[in-house]
Amino acid sequence: MAVTLDLAEIQGTVLRNRPMPYYGAYLLFRVDDAASAREGVKRLLPHVTSAKDWEAPADQAWINIVFTAEGLRRIGVPSEIVDGFPIPFVQGMAARRVFLGDVGDADPANWDWPHGGNGFHLGLFLMGQSEEARAAKLALGHEAMRGLPGLRLLAHLDVGIPPTMREHFGYVDGLSRPFIEGEGGEPLPGQDVTKAGEFILGYENELGHIATGPGPEIFWRNGTFLSIRKIRQNVAAFRRFLRENAQTPEGEEFIAAKMMGRWRSGCPLALSPDRDDPSIVADPLRRNDFKYAQDDPDGHRTPVGCHIRRINPRDALDGTISDARTHRLLRRGAAYGPVLPEGAMEEDGEDRGIVLALINADPARQFEFVQSQWINDGDFVGEGSRADPIVGRRDLADDYAYPAKPVRKRLKGLPDFTVVRGGEHVFVPSISSLQWMAGLSGGIGNSP
């Protein structure tokens, strides 16, 4: 039976690709008065972009609204309903730090981006196809919150994908995503079709169950969760590591490709293992059309421990106890901070990195599993305690190895190329859910 998604109800960022390039911003608010928060939501509702009008918004800019668990309580959602949501969302990401590997410098005590534990309750995600479009949406967001003393702006972070399409380490970003059943159109070659319930509440998931939430159906249906990570990138350390482990610029590019699983152009090693071929990236029918189980089971082309093979093992785990289809994530990444000048081998004191917004209907089974078991532990692919060579933790192992001739290549002493600087699980309500919440009573600063 064909699945029909209610696109007019689902907030646009859940299903639709962001424009490339784009200019975006995160605005994070503290809620000290429920009536103020509800009034702010009412004012914003006519401007919230759904998946139905995402492709052709009137002003070529988009706005979406999210809540932390405490934010839902503060706007008036009863605690007994909020507490029925998944444990990671209810507890908040900072409370999950040991399981997620957020230790040492990445400990939440060092985070500089507000999270649920220190006051972030309501967030606005804005974006446009130009800086002018972003500025217009920012003005709209600020105007909607004007005169509401119970809402306080905690953070404003500009993000986006630059015209080069590359993040700070130099890799082209945003090339692969699952195809969601019922989203419309047809999947591209290599794009696996995933049950809608893996990403949206109210639909069947890969376990054969309907993904549901607590409380009245109008509150949770067509909603989902974003697992947000603010990750600072040490670009100079990455460049120095490549330089120290290669003899030529071509050798640096090869090592960078072996760590990621794609050349920095985005060309997959699976399709061009010995040299970069940007023409493959330019062809949407080719750039993701590959598998691992039959063509590259031992990782001679795409190393089993590289970044893209950890994040999405494709068919490599078929026949094992781990079903990769139940751990899929819909990834949205955006860079922040200025680009480190070309050739610079020392940091310049500027904060730069990436904000990941990972869409999943079950944060424990999806984001937290991938982060703890696939990114920070290599046991599932026979790599022991070796973590992801790009974004993994280094306190358990700091080396990376991949097949090469005449002998296996082993890179030692990987530094922390990245460090987590913020994170939270947030709920992305449907349009009807936002209307329902705007009509609630009670909450913080209100009489029950």
Side-chain angles (χ1 to χ4, degrees):
M1 179 176 170
V3 173
T4 301
L5 298 179
D6 194 344
L7 301 181
E9 281 291 328
I10 300 167
Q11 290 201 58
T13 195
V14 178
L15 287 180
R16 300 310 188 196
N17 284 331
R18 300 177 180 190
M20 294 292 187
Y22 79 86
Y23 302 85
Y26 287 81
L27 299 181
L28 307 183
F29 294 86
R30 176 183 176 87
V31 175
D32 289 316
D33 177 71
S36 291
R38 290 194 288 264
E39 177 61 26
V41 170
K42 287 179 184 177
R43 294 177 183 180
L44 286 167
L45 259 170
H47 308 286
V48 174
T49 312
S50 75
K52 182 177 181 179
D53 59 358
W54 184 269
E55 301 292 349
D59 52 6
Q60 291 303 302
W62 300 258
I63 185 168
N64 291 131
I65 306 176
V66 303
F67 293 87
T68 64
E70 180 62 19
L72 291 176
R73 294 188 186 96
R74 288 181 175 235
I75 202 173
V77 180
S79 288
E80 58 268 25
I81 293 179
V82 178
D83 290 343
F85 270 133
I87 290 174
F89 171 72
V90 175
Q91 291 185 341
M93 194 174 288
R96 314 286 289 175
R97 61 189 181 277
V98 175
F99 182 65
L100 295 176
D102 295 336
V103 297
D105 196 26
D107 189 282
N110 300 317
W111 289 0
D112 56 28
W113 206 40
H115 52 88
N118 69 359
F120 160 38
H121 302 134
L122 182 155
L124 303 183
F125 297 170
L126 319 168
M127 68 191 74
Q129 291 184 327
S130 66
E131 291 187 81
E132 293 76 17
R134 174 176 62 186
K137 280 299 185 207
L138 281 169
L140 188 155
H142 286 299
E143 181 62 29
M145 301 307 186
R146 190 183 304 278
L148 300 176
L151 283 175
R152 179 160 61 92
L153 181 65
L154 295 177
H156 171 183
L157 182 68
D158 287 335
V159 298
I161 297 295
T164 63
M165 307 295 287
R166 295 178 184 248
E167 50 74 60
H168 288 293
F169 288 153
Y171 296 98
V172 169
D173 202 5
L175 293 173
S176 176
R177 64 177 290 268
F179 183 89
I180 303 173
E181 189 177 42
E183 70 171 73
E186 296 293 331
L188 297 170
Q191 191 179 36
D192 54 316
V193 179
T194 306
K195 292 289 187 182
E198 292 297 300
F199 305 109
I200 310 163
L201 300 178
Y203 301 88
E204 183 180 342
N205 60 27
E206 291 290 340
L207 299 176
H209 305 145
I210 301 297
T212 61
E217 186 172 320
I218 193 174
F219 170 54
W220 53 262
R221 183 174 175 82
N222 289 310
T224 189
F225 301 95
L226 288 181
S227 299
I228 305 172
R229 304 280 276 182
K230 182 189 178 190
I231 300 173
R232 183 172 187 177
Q233 294 175 265
N234 190 334
V235 179
F238 186 72
R239 292 176 180 176
R240 289 196 303 269
F241 184 81
L242 296 180
R243 179 74 54 85
E244 291 164 1
N245 286 276
Q247 303 298 317
T248 64
E250 292 77 17
E252 292 180 36
E253 291 302 315
F254 186 72
I255 291 175
K258 285 295 186 179
M259 294 169 70
M260 176 60 70
R262 290 182 185 268
W263 298 91
R264 287 202 271 195
S265 72
C267 174
L269 287 172
L271 301 181
S272 185
D274 300 318
R275 63 178 182 86
D276 191 6
D277 186 351
S279 71
I280 294 177
V281 188
D283 185 353
L285 298 179
R286 299 175 64 200
R287 62 191 180 207
N288 286 302
D289 190 14
F290 58 91
K291 295 183 177 180
Y292 301 124
Q294 182 175 345
D295 300 330
D296 191 24
D298 298 323
H300 286 276
R301 290 187 168 209
T302 310
V304 296
C306 73
H307 180 73
I308 69 164
R309 195 153 169 171
R310 286 173 179 266
I311 296 297
N312 180 14
R314 298 181 183 245
D315 63 335
L317 300 182
D318 289 358
T320 71
I321 61 173
S322 183
D323 184 356
R325 298 182 65 83
T326 65
H327 306 299
R328 291 307 313 272
L329 295 167
L330 188 54
R331 177 188 179 280
R332 309 291 194 210
Y336 73 89
V339 174
L340 186 67
E342 187 71 27
M345 291 293 173
E346 298 293 338
E347 290 294 321
D348 57 4
E350 297 285 349
D351 186 19
R352 58 178 57 84
I354 191 168
V355 177
L356 298 178
L358 304 160
I359 299 164
N360 49 169
D362 187 338
R365 175 168 61 81
Q366 293 172 271
F367 165 72
E368 289 202 342
F369 180 92
V370 172
Q371 178 68 28
S372 63
Q373 304 303 308
W374 288 357
I375 291 178
N376 280 332
D377 191 340
D379 193 55
F380 79 110
V381 285
E383 288 290 297
S385 58
R386 290 192 183 105
D388 186 301
I390 304 289
V391 299
R393 62 193 297 179
R394 300 286 182 254
D395 57 319
L396 301 179
D398 65 353
D399 66 323
Y400 175 62
Y402 57 86
K405 294 179 180 179
V407 296
R408 192 181 196 210
K409 177 71 172 180
R410 184 183 177 197
L411 303 174
K412 301 179 182 179
L414 274 73
D416 287 310
F417 298 126
T418 63
V419 60
V420 179
R421 278 292 175 258
E424 192 53 277
H425 298 292
V426 298
F427 181 56
V428 189
S430 69
I431 306 300
S432 289
S433 179
L434 289 171
Q435 294 169 339
W436 179 80
M437 283 190 280
L440 290 172
S441 60
I444 189 169
N446 293 265
S447 299

